[in-house]
Amino acid sequence: MATTATPEGSETHRRPRLRRDIGMIGLLFTAVGSIIGSGWLFGAMNAAQIAGPAAVFSWLIAGIMIMLIGLTYAELGTMFPVSGGVVRFPHYAFGGFASYLMGWITWLAAAVVAPIEVEGTLQYATRYYPFTDEHEVAGKTVHTLTAAGYVAAVILMALFCVVNVIGVRFFTRLNNVIVWWKLAIIVLVVVAFLVTAFHGVNFTSHGFAPSGQHGIFTAIATAGITFSFLGFRQGIELAGESSNPRRNVPFAVIGSVLLTMVIYIALQIAFIAAVPEDTLGSSGSWAALTFKDAFGPLAAIASILGLTWLAVLLYADAIVSPGDTGLIYTAITSRLGYAMAHNGNAPKSIAKLTRTGVPWVATVVAFVVGLVIFLPFPSWQQLVGLVTGATVLSFGSGPLVFAALRRELPEHPRAFRLPGGDTIPFLAFFSSNMIVFWAGWGTNWKLFVGVLIGLVLLGAFRLTGSVHLPHMNWRAGVWTVPWLAGLALISYLSSYEGIGVIGLGWGFVVNLGFSAAIYLMALRTRLPGERVREIIDTTPHDEQPHS
């Protein structure tokens, strides 16, 4: 333990602090490891069912949209290299109310990722033991947890927590090894499929885009495509534990999105080309694509092609890839809880650290909430849309914080400065709103119920005084109310599981105007520079290790 001298010269133990043990490659691999989870195991098939071969463009568009969002966070991450940055940034620019609301959405989004990765692992593992059962839910085939599956899920969630409590250094060393495995397996699948069975006719025989543009954009939000990119945030969330965040954060954020975008597009091409004709059902359509007695589409194709060795590797990777991502998100959820406690939006006990600098109380809370999530969402397919919508919604505040701080803290040191003024942050904000729109009302109404629960908790906190809430700065955060209410209304009116008033084309127009209005409103109500500096100076920051 580090010690510090008192004014009288005696030494006392310094309280535990977050360690800065993550290097440049470690932070990049943490982001890549979080991105490459269960999404790639299911995303290619889900996207093909919705968009056909045009799913290739779904991956490209999603990658560009996530990159726009990530670029704004890359600058913010170098300005304030703190753990749980996605939660803390709104606090700096818009005060307590916006901080609480966005913190709640962000924490909720992160808390449900470890459970979905566990469900993805157990679906593939059903090949060896009945951890899941196949059911039809809302016309879709899903694999829900059995009693044995629930027991296994509890054990895996507990394992994630134990590894995280051991410490960040052990965590990153383990993750670096696993990420090399993940990358090797994906590249191997792409090469094996392309070399063994490349049916070029598959790209045109049943229509390149059988569901048109609607299918391309729907796949972005609902097929697990956007979900497969969301791990870039870990370069931000763990900035406070990076050895050189001003160099490492932009490298991790930008590098992870670019690398995985190329890999995912190559995988989608290889998957489309390798699909046998008889798997498209009696109708011969991509929507009917299915594999009998198979719990994972990639492993099923490998078996059909006679690549038994690859199928075995894929079933093994179905444990490794989601398991690693679940491990990372358990760490991230605990850091978000730690950040919320520092902001005054959660009980101070949430920020308690072990002697090795790990937020152990927040880790336990993440474990308990993860177990609760399994009850209403017992399958990967049922949970993926909610995770996507919640996470993208939590990212929406980042571009607004970026624009506000560019105006209020223009001279603040920025190791990475994004060019283009308001262009990229506005496009990033517009992108996040569009992804929520494409997710559909069937998913979004559950998301907005979650937001309402957060507001109820806020009221309870204020009435009971159970947490120390900072000055709420209601005026500065008022834009969050019409933003969230407007998104809910537009989603309800949409043709994406809504009442069908707003279709795809008008969806772009309506969301563009809506995004511009909220963007301007947030800038008009932002906190003044003096108040921003006061919040930054008075908010507890991650302690730096002493040499």
Side-chain angles (χ1 to χ4, degrees):
M1 287 288 292
T3 59
T4 184
T6 65
E8 290 76 18
S10 62
E11 290 189 341
T12 59
H13 287 288
R14 183 182 297 275
R15 65 186 177 89
R17 57 180 178 263
L18 293 174
R19 299 175 62 92
R20 290 189 179 271
D21 287 331
I22 307 178
M24 182 170 70
I25 299 300
L27 197 62
L28 172 67
F29 273 28
T30 299
V32 172
S34 182
I35 289 174
I36 303 175
S38 60
W40 84 277
L41 295 168
F42 302 100
M45 176 172 171
N46 291 344
Q49 289 174 323
I50 296 171
V56 172
F57 289 108
S58 300
W59 288 99
L60 177 61
I61 294 168
I64 293 172
M65 297 175 87
I66 293 298
M67 177 61 75
L68 291 171
I69 297 170
L71 286 171
T72 64
Y73 278 102
E75 177 169 316
L76 292 172
T78 62
M79 291 177 67
F80 307 107
V82 294
S83 285
V86 176
V87 168
R88 296 201 198 186
F89 300 153
H91 185 58
Y92 300 155
F94 299 108
F97 177 63
S99 168
Y100 172 83
L101 195 55
M102 298 313 303
W104 166 255
I105 295 171
T106 303
W107 185 86
L108 190 64
V112 298
V113 174
I116 195 176
E117 298 300 343
V118 167
E119 290 175 344
T121 296
L122 294 177
Q123 179 175 329
Y124 262 81
T126 300
R127 175 181 175 86
Y128 305 105
Y129 195 81
F131 292 117
T132 65
D133 276 336
E134 187 174 294
H135 296 285
E136 289 290 328
V137 177
K140 297 180 181 179
T141 301
V142 301
H143 291 77
T144 58
L145 294 175
T146 61
Y150 277 112
V151 172
V154 172
I155 294 173
L156 287 174
M157 290 290 293
L159 181 62
F160 293 161
C161 294
V162 170
V163 172
N164 273 284
V165 170
I166 289 175
V168 69
R169 180 174 293 178
F170 174 78
F171 161 75
T172 52
R173 287 175 177 172
L174 176 64
N175 182 66
N176 286 351
V177 174
I178 294 176
V179 171
W180 278 116
W181 161 275
K182 288 179 166 184
L183 291 173
I185 291 295
I186 294 181
V187 171
L188 189 60
V189 169
V190 171
V191 173
F193 281 8
L194 290 177
V195 171
T196 305
F198 188 89
H199 306 130
V201 68
N202 283 358
F203 289 90
T204 57
S205 59
H206 302 289
F208 180 72
S211 300
Q213 296 180 2
H214 191 281
I216 294 173
F217 292 112
T218 300
I220 290 174
T222 63
I225 291 179
T226 300
F227 169 74
S228 297
F229 282 110
L230 297 180
F232 82 86
R233 66 188 289 168
Q234 310 333 333
I236 308 297
E237 304 293 11
L238 294 177
E241 293 163 83
S242 175
S243 58
N244 186 346
R246 300 189 187 283
R247 176 197 65 188
N248 299 345
V249 169
F251 178 77
V253 171
I254 298 171
S256 62
V257 175
L258 284 177
L259 176 62
T260 53
M261 181 168 61
V262 172
I263 290 174
Y264 286 150
I265 291 174
L267 177 65
Q268 186 69 61
I269 292 173
F271 179 86
I272 294 291
V275 168
E277 175 70 24
D278 60 3
T279 61
L280 297 179
S282 58
S283 62
S285 68
W286 286 101
L289 176 63
T290 186
F291 298 96
K292 294 182 179 179
D293 301 322
F295 306 101
L298 299 179
I301 287 185
S303 297
I304 292 172
L305 297 180
L307 302 175
T308 306
W309 58 271
L310 183 58
V312 171
L313 286 176
L314 280 166
Y315 279 115
D317 183 70
I319 297 174
V320 176
S321 286
D324 180 52
T325 301
L327 181 67
I328 293 171
Y329 266 93
T330 301
I332 296 310
T333 306
S334 66
R335 271 59 177 184
L336 289 172
Y338 172 87
M340 290 182 70
H342 271 252
N343 283 353
N345 294 330
K348 289 184 178 180
S349 60
I350 298 293
K352 286 184 178 179
L353 303 177
T354 65
R355 292 174 62 86
T356 56
V358 177
W360 70 271
V361 176
T363 301
V364 172
V365 172
F367 170 73
V368 174
V369 172
L371 298 187
V372 173
I373 291 295
F374 287 127
L375 298 177
F377 300 101
S379 74
W380 190 93
Q381 293 82 0
Q382 289 172 296
L383 193 50
V384 66
L386 182 68
V387 174
T388 298
T391 307
V392 172
L393 192 63
S394 72
F395 289 154
S397 65
L400 302 180
V401 173
F402 172 97
L405 295 184
R406 273 289 184 94
R407 287 161 171 80
E408 298 302 333
L409 299 179
E411 303 304 322
H412 193 96
R414 291 166 168 83
F416 173 78
R417 180 176 286 270
L418 188 63
D422 285 304
T423 303
I424 292 178
F426 175 73
L427 290 176
F429 183 60
F430 174 57
S431 295
S432 69
N433 290 341
M434 287 303 304
I435 293 173
V436 172
F437 175 74
W438 294 326
W441 178 244
T443 293
N444 288 336
W445 77 262
K446 302 170 188 175
L447 171 60
F448 291 112
V449 167
V451 173
L452 290 176
I453 291 173
L455 291 174
V456 171
L457 288 175
L458 174 61
F461 287 155
R462 288 185 65 82
L463 287 174
T464 62
S466 57
V467 300
H468 170 66
L469 289 169
H471 192 284
M472 298 306 289
N473 302 111
W474 297 105
R475 181 182 180 276
V478 69
W479 59 269
T480 59
V481 176
W483 175 46
L484 296 172
L487 283 177
L489 177 61
I490 293 171
S491 179
Y492 173 71
L493 295 174
S494 76
S495 59
Y496 293 84
E497 299 180 299
I499 62 175
V501 174
I502 302 175
L504 175 64
W506 278 107
F508 279 102
V509 176
V510 171
N511 276 288
L512 183 65
F514 175 71
S515 299
I518 299 299
Y519 192 91
L520 293 174
M521 183 179 182
L523 289 181
R524 288 180 63 87
T525 61
R526 70 185 187 272
L527 291 173
E530 297 79 8
R531 178 60 179 150
V532 172
R533 294 182 184 90
E534 180 185 348
I535 290 176
I536 293 172
D537 291 340
T538 57
T539 301
H541 295 282
D542 305 330
E543 295 184 54
Q544 303 294 317
H546 291 249
S547 56

